[in-house]
């Protein structure tokens, strides 16, 4: 087991939540949360996506837009679920019924509406902060700098600086640091499996906390791709510039998704070079987890993914040897 193996794509992905980890495999996802009493709660649900099995939503470039929206919707859903265990002044004397956790994980119609509003507001804030703010600042600088190419480069540099600065700033928060530890546990579990190692605490702890298919890498690709795309958008009208940037956001997300998708399925030199900035950013968005966090991540994986069958099929292990 000590021999280093080439990573093989597993198809499983996930994200960190409050005191837990969500893992998704195809249309099934599981949320494992370390409850205040120390037990691990695991909820398994189905998520078909906003477009279900529609063929147009699986076309190159287009699929990236819907994948991004789905990740926001599902991410908000599982975050609300994990937070429900840590509400203030929770009545510890009352025990939830067998149906209550299921209600927490799925949410009612009112919760879905609020979640939709929250996702929409989050997208607006993100676009304003990472897309429009650098543009407005660079446009202001353009009054003093007559070189259009230099202004475009400055806009790109500002966009990257704001993104990296935002990530670095929130990483200083105590709760975020703990979330990043669970993020590290999520990556370590996936890397453990995809490197052909049996999924246990010891193997997970010695696996890497960086992964090429991470959402951090996707967001960085969005920023970098936008820098390149906007560099070639040369119009003089201020309003038209602004409108074009907004209209191109889905295109940029689609291109970025295709890059991250390719990175998750290939390991050649070019892909490693392209993935390097995102892997570096993950040094900020992941931290080394403890063994209890790893145990939570493993519980989430095992609820939706048969890793023993995967290792047997992909790496040729006999089930009894695992």
């Amino acid at each position: 087991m000590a021999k280093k193996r080439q990573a093989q794509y597993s198809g499983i992905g996930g994200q960190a939540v409050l005191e837990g980890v969500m893992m998704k495999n195809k249309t099934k996802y599981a949320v494992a949360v370390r409850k205040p009493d120390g037990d691990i709660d695991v909820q398994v649900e189905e998520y078909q996506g906003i477009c279900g099995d529609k063929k147009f939503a699986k076309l190159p470039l287009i699929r990236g837009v819907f994948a991004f929206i789905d990740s926001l919707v599902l991410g908000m859903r599982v975050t609300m679920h994990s937070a429900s265990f840590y509400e203030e002044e929770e009545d510890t004397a009352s025990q939830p019924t067998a149906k209550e956790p299921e209600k927490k994980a799925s949410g009612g119609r009112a919760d879905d509406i609020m979640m939709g509003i929250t996702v929409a507001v989050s997208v607006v804030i993100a676009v304003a902060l990472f897309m429009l703010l650098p543009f407005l600042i660079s446009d202001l600088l353009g009054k003093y700098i007559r070189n259009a190419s230099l202004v475009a480069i400055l806009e790109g540099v500002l966009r990257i600086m704001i993104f990296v600065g935002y990530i670095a700033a929130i990483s200083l928060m105590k709760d975020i640091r703990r979330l990043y530890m669970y993020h590290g546990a999520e990556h370590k579990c996936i890397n453990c499996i995809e490197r052909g190692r049996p999924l246990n605490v010891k193997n997970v702890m010695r696996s890497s906390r960086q992964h090429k298919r991470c959402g951090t890498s996707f967001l960085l690709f969005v920023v970098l791709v936008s820098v390149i795309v906007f560099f070639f958008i040369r119009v003089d009208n201020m309003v038209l510039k602004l409108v074009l940037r907004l209209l191109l956001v889905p295109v940029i997300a689609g291109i970025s998704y295709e890059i991250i998708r390719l990175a998750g399925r290939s390991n050649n030199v070019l892909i490693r070079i392209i993935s390097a900035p995102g892997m570096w950013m993950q040094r900020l968005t992941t931290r080394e987890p403890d063994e209890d966090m790893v145990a939570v991540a493993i519980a989430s994986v095992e609820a939706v993914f048969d890793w023993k069958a995967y290792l047997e099929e992909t790496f040729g292990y006999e089930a009894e040897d695992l």
Side-chain angles (χ1 to χ4, degrees), residues 41 43 94-104:
D41 179 88
Q43 297 296 321
S94 62
Q95 297 296 323
T97 64
K99 294 292 182 181
E100 193 174 355
E102 190 172 323
K103 181 181 178 182
K104 286 181 180 178

Side-chain angles (χ1 to χ4, degrees), residues 1 26 46 82 119-120 170 172 177 185 201 253 266 271-272 285 287 308-309:
M1 297 297 177
K26 298 179 181 178
E46 291 278 341
S82 64
V119 169
I170 65 173
L172 299 176
R177 286 200 302 270
V201 173
S266 178
I271 291 297
R272 290 201 296 270
T285 61
R287 298 291 174 91
K308 290 185 178 181

